[in-house]
């Protein structure tokens, strides 16, 4: 903003001239609104480079800078600081939340690994117990089969012994009858059964 000091022309008393106060100005009279003589074009340097207005320019520069500084200090800087604090708080909260989620994920992984190890140990124990139970069952079945076979073998041996004894008894009788028949055929006479039995018994002893 620039200050231009207008030059005021002398005003003739309306009563002395007898003319109207709003009459046209005389030649050479300065216009009170623009400060430029009537009928003259504006001349002079560009206003910002006019040395006569440096003082006012510096004054307005200082005033403008002061207003801008106060505006920055009282309005803009607090808002920027509040936004930065809000962003910093939000980032801190996000980092804390991320840390919390990471801790929960790590805890979940550790829990999963522990449960997996426990399940593996349990499955191994179950497998070992099943193998041991199968071995015990197989051993028990083997012993039962062996015991059954042993009993059957004993029964068979007893039966074979009985058959042998009966066969031997029958063989003696058959031998006695055969010997009596042979003697009868050879000599044409009969032999006492007691003599035949004694001869067969003597033959068995010699065999």
């Amino acid at each position: 903003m620039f200050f231009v000091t207008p030059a005021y022309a002398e005003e003739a008393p309306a009563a002395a001239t007898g003319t109207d106060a709003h009459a046209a100005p005389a030649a050479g009279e300065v216009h009170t609104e623009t400060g430029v003589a009537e009928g003259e074009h504006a001349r002079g340097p560009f206003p910002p480079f006019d040395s006569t207005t440096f003082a006012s320019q510096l004054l307005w520069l200082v005033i403008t800078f002061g207003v801008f500084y106060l505006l920055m200090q009282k309005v803009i800087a607090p808002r920027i600081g509040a936004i930065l604090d809000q962003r910093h708080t939000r980032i801190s909260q996000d980092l804390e939340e991320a840390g919390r989620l990471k801790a929960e994920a790590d805890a979940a992984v550790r829990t999963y690994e522990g449960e997996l190890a426990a399940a593996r140990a349990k499955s191994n124990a179950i497998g070992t117990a099943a193998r041991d139970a199968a071995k015990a069952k197989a051993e028990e079945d083997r012993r039962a089969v062996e015991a059954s076979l042993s009993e059957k073998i004993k029964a068979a041996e007893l039966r074979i012994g009985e058959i042998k004894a009966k066969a031997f008894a029958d063989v003696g009788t058959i031998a006695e009858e055969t010997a009596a028949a042979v003697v009868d055929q050879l000599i044409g006479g009969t032999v006492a059964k007691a003599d035949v039995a004694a001869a067969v018994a003597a033959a068995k002893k010699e065999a």
Side-chain angles (χ1 to χ4, degrees):
M1 183 181 290
F2 306 97
F3 292 93
V4 179
T5 305
Y8 295 95
E10 287 186 10
E11 296 182 0
T17 59
T19 61
D20 190 6
H22 298 285
E29 190 174 341
V30 179
H31 196 278
T32 58
E33 293 181 0
T34 62
V36 180
E38 198 65 35
E40 294 181 359
H41 294 289
R43 291 175 184 159
F46 187 59
F49 303 130
D50 189 359
S51 61
T52 60
T53 62
F54 279 173
S56 62
Q57 291 184 41
L58 291 175
L59 177 61
W60 281 106
L61 178 63
V62 171
I63 293 174
T64 304
F65 180 78
V67 171
F68 182 73
Y69 177 77
L70 291 176
L71 183 65
M72 284 289 296
Q73 186 178 12
K74 300 296 183 180
V75 179
I76 298 176
R79 290 185 179 180
I80 295 175
I83 292 173
L84 293 177
D85 291 339
Q86 185 178 2
R87 292 287 179 86
H88 179 71
T89 303
R90 181 64 180 274
I91 291 172
S92 299
Q93 291 177 353
D94 292 341
L95 290 176
E96 291 177 357
E97 182 69 13
R100 184 181 65 81
L101 293 176
K102 184 178 182 299
E104 291 180 356
D106 293 338
V109 169
R110 288 193 295 270
T111 302
Y112 170 75
E113 290 178 350
E115 292 179 352
L116 182 61
R120 287 177 177 173
K122 186 175 181 180
S123 64
N124 292 332
I126 292 173
T128 303
R131 286 194 299 271
D132 295 340
K135 287 181 180 179
K137 177 66 175 173
E139 184 67 20
E140 183 180 357
D141 292 341
R142 185 184 64 81
R143 290 178 180 176
V145 170
E146 288 180 352
S148 177
L149 290 175
S150 179
E151 291 178 357
K152 289 181 179 180
I153 290 171
K154 289 180 180 179
E157 289 177 350
L158 291 175
R159 180 63 178 170
I160 291 170
E162 291 176 355
I163 292 172
K164 283 183 177 181
K166 185 177 181 180
F168 285 142
D170 292 339
V171 166
T173 304
I174 293 170
E176 290 177 0
E177 291 177 354
T178 303
V182 169
V183 170
D184 184 50
Q185 291 293 329
L186 290 176
I187 62 174
T190 59
V191 180
K193 289 183 178 180
D195 295 335
V196 173
V200 170
K204 284 182 180 180
K205 290 180 180 179
E206 292 178 358

